[in-house]
Amino acid sequence: QVRLVESGGGLVQTGDSLNLSCTASGRTYSALVMGWFRQAPGKGREFVAVIRRSDGNTKYADSVKGRFTMSKDNTKNTVYLQMDGLTPEDTAVYYCAADLDSRTLLRGTPTYWGQGTQVTVSS
């Protein structure tokens, strides 16, 4: 089992930045793939970014490319999502996710989910 705990959400204004963290505990496999999803009010959950713990390879949704950066610290079993240039359209609950198979994660059906952290961007 892998337990994921997110932190770093909050209320910010348009153009501000936030840095989300997700710390994994339990069976933190070195081959784990970790990612972020978000769910805005009244909408489905959507993919944001993913990183492979083994080599740091990343992939981003087009809507956040160039503004969001995902990174990792394997010594702390933690991944980060640096969000710059935030807009009201980024308002959502952000969920950390993990799986041993990147394809499963990218399909939106990862094995492990965090509880989510709220990000609200005011105009």
Side-chain angles (χ1 to χ4, degrees), residues 19 111 117:
N19 190 23
T111 302
T117 184

Side-chain angles (χ1 to χ4, degrees), residues 4-18:
L4 304 173
V5 178
E6 305 100 331
S7 63
L11 172 63
V12 297
Q13 295 184 326
T14 298
D16 285 351
S17 298
L18 275 177

Side-chain angles (χ1 to χ4, degrees), residues 10-16 85-91 119-123:
L11 172 63
V12 297
Q13 295 184 326
T14 298
D16 285 351
L86 287 163
T87 72
E89 288 68 38
D90 296 313
T91 294
V119 171
T120 303
V121 185
S122 64
S123 58

